């Protein structure tokens, strides 16, 4: 995904963007008009004319004051509504592009950094219309209108205001870029690095505490925080310097207006009230224009976030990751006869130099119990990911006699289910963790499947289905997590179930008993469910029907 495409998606369409921009322009013009009308009213009133000559100015002051606040409020509603709606569309679009990559196509991105890209960096993109495009358009329109108006009143003052505005744009932008450009571009990556350090520390706090390594991890978090803080302060310093320069130039423009306006008082048609207008209008104009250098600074941060979002969403899915292509059929394979046939299958992980498995042959029929063994790194998990179509392959893989490449990925995954080595449990109740597999299941069905996996007594002791499992299952043991994952898989009723190292996080003296329980629980009443067990531990012959050794 290109950066320009991300920026284009972050900018609301014209019909949504225009109302907020127009209301913002009216509010800014009312602010300038309020200063000009107030200056005229005060100086004209000092001449003590009949009240009739002041009525229009009095009404104008009230109208501009109300208009500035009213238009500003309406602009906030319209522009933020447009930005938030566009942001929602952008976020959904990014998720849709990431789904085909998950999980194996995202293995090179750290979780904390990925989370920051999908939250903070995407949120930063809302500033494109709010703090970049709209302020620049309004500043340009107000500056042009004010210069023309002052030039009509006194050409020399209009030229002085134009010169001051040009200097403000050039000097303010250059100074802000010199002081803060590098820091502003680094804020988004530093924010991601900080989030990654915090997440890594919190998730692994138990291990860090056990090995007395919390000090070094907290030091790493402090270092990341210090770098981020330094970048933010540098960005703020750049904005402060630019704002100070604009204030000086605003004062200079007012002084210049006085210098050319006072001698012009002898000119017919030019009087004290008009002099007050050309002297005070620059102050109001610069208040509006001061957002321009800040908008350019915001643009650098927005662009940096857009680059980070674009980098995690590639233009093309890696060849190692399967996607539904134009040749995908709408038919669904029925798991009859031979459910799965693999012939000469090889697979490679994204960015890997060599295949993780080569020339694997495997047949899975209804009721089979197949044990896949091999040393660490021999490709056991790779085979599991090929079976559920997380990884692309070379060779032949058919499901129910149909080439899986011609079937939608979702259809394959409705037949072949995976219970991973480290099952993911949501920080929710047991009920919600199970309903994730089948949302229309009743409590009786949930309790029944928990009884099948040997957790009914444990759930009852915890207070029932509403008991929480903690973040990533922190309140349950490794064996209990595997049983909950199996219960979830049984609810989904996969005809083929792949158990990837189900005893990897269980004490050795309980591993055998857990494996027996899992195999017994995974059997369906008619004995047609096939189970593929991936394990590095020995399994009794009577528990399996065949074996496959990798490596």
């Amino acid at each position: 995904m290109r950066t320009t495409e991300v920026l284009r998606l972050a900018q609301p369409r014209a019909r949504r963007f225009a109302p907020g921009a127009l209301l913002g322009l009216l509010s800014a013009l009312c602010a300038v008009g309020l200063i000009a009308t107030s200056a005229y009213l005060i100086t004209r009133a000092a001449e003590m004319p009949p009240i009739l000559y002041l009525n229009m100015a009095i009404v104008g002051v009230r109208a501009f004051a109300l208009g500035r606040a009213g238009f500003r409020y309406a602009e906030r509603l319209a522009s933020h509504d447009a930005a938030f709606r566009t942001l929602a569309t952008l976020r959904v679009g990014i998720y849709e592009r990431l789904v085909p990559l998950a999980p194996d196509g995202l293995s090179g991105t750290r979780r904390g950094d990925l989370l920051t890209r999908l939250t903070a960096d995407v949120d930063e993109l809302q500033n494109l219309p709010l703090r970049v495009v709209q302020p620049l358009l309004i500043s340009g329109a107000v500056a042009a209108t004010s210069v023309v108006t002052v030039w009509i009143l006194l050409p020399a003052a209009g030229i002085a205001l134009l010169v001051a505005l040009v200097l403000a744009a050039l000097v303010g932008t250059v100074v802000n870029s010199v002081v803060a450009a590098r820091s502003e571009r680094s804020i988004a990556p530093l924010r991601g690095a900080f989030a990654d350090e915090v997440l890594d520390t919190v998730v692994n706090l138990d291990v860090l505490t056990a090995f007395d390594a919390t000090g070094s991890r907290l030091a790493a978090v402090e270092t990341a925080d210090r770098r981020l803080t330094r970048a933010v302060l540098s960005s703020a310093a750049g904005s402060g310097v630019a704002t100070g320069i604009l204030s000086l130039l605003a004062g200079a423009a007012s002084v210049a207006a006085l210098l050319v306006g006072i001698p012009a008082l002898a000119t017919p048609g030019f009087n004290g009230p008009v002099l007050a207008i050309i002297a005070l209008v620059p102050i109001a104009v610069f208040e509006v224009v001061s957002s321009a250098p800040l908008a350019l600074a915001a643009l650098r941060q927005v662009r940096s976030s857009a680059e980070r979002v674009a980098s995690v969403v590639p233009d093309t899915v890696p060849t190692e990751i399967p996607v539904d292509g134009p040749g995908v059929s709408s038919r669904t394979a029925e798991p009859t006869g031979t459910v799965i046939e693999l012939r000469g299958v090889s697979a490679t992980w994204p960015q890997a130099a060599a295949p993780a498995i080569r020339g694997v042959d495997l047949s899975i029929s209804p009721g089979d119990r197949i044990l896949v063994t091999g040393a660490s790194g021999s490709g056991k998990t790779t085979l599991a990911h090929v079976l559920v179509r997380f990884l692309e392959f070379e060779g032949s893989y058919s499901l129910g006699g149909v080439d899986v490449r011609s079937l939608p990925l979702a259809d394959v995954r409705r037949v072949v289910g995976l219970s991973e080595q480290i099952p993911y449990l949501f920080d929710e109740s047991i009920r919600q963790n199970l309903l994730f597999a089948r949302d229309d299941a009743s409590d009786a069905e949930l309790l029944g499947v928990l009884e099948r996996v040997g957790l009914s007594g444990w759930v009852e002791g915890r207070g029932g289905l509403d008991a929480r499992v903690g973040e990533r299952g922190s309140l349950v043991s490794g064996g209990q997590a595997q049983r909950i994952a199996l219960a979830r898989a049984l609810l989904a009723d996969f005809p083929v179930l792949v158990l990837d190292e189900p005893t990897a996080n269980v004490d050795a003296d309980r591993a055998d008993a857990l494996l027996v329980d899992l195999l017994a629980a995974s059997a369906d009443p008619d004995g047609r469910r096939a189970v593929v067990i991936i394990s590095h531990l020995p399994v009794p012959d009577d528990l399996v029907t065949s074996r496959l050794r990798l490596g």
Side-chain angles (χ1 to χ4, degrees), residues 42 126 133 172 207 238 283 324 334 398 440 462 518 522 541:
I42 292 173
Q126 69 183 297
V133 178
V207 177
I283 297 177
D324 287 329
E334 293 294 334
S398 62
D440 61 348
R462 291 285 300 273
L518 294 180
S522 60
D541 291 337

Side-chain angles (χ1 to χ4, degrees), residues 141-153:
V142 170
T145 304
S146 301
V147 168
V148 170
T149 302
V150 173
W151 184 85
I152 292 173
L153 296 176

Side-chain angles (χ1 to χ4, degrees), residues 17-150:
F17 176 73
L22 179 60
L23 290 168
L25 176 60
L26 291 174
S27 177
L29 290 174
C30 284
V32 177
L34 178 61
I35 290 290
T37 309
S38 300
Y40 175 86
L41 177 61
I42 292 173
T43 52
R44 186 75 175 94
E47 298 174 352
M48 302 184 66
I51 191 66
L52 180 65
Y53 292 94
L54 301 177
N55 279 344
M56 288 189 63
I58 293 172
V59 173
V61 168
R62 292 175 178 173
F64 285 132
L66 293 174
R68 182 180 66 170
F71 287 134
R72 180 62 169 168
Y73 179 75
E75 177 269 327
R76 289 285 181 174
L77 292 179
S79 59
H80 281 73
D81 178 71
F84 291 156
R85 288 179 184 272
T86 302
L87 196 65
T89 303
L90 173 64
R91 199 186 301 278
V92 171
I94 290 173
Y95 279 125
E96 288 177 343
R97 289 170 180 259
L98 285 178
V99 165
L101 298 174
D104 296 339
L106 300 175
S107 56
T109 306
R110 300 186 68 179
R111 286 182 301 162
D113 188 38
L114 178 61
L115 178 64
T116 304
R117 293 179 193 230
L118 297 179
T119 53
D121 285 326
V122 173
D123 287 343
E124 181 69 28
L125 296 176
Q126 69 183 297
N127 289 328
L128 178 62
L130 296 177
R131 295 181 56 193
V132 178
V133 178
Q134 185 169 303
L136 289 176
L137 291 177
I138 293 174
S139 297
V142 170
T145 304
S146 301
V147 168
V148 170
T149 302
V150 173

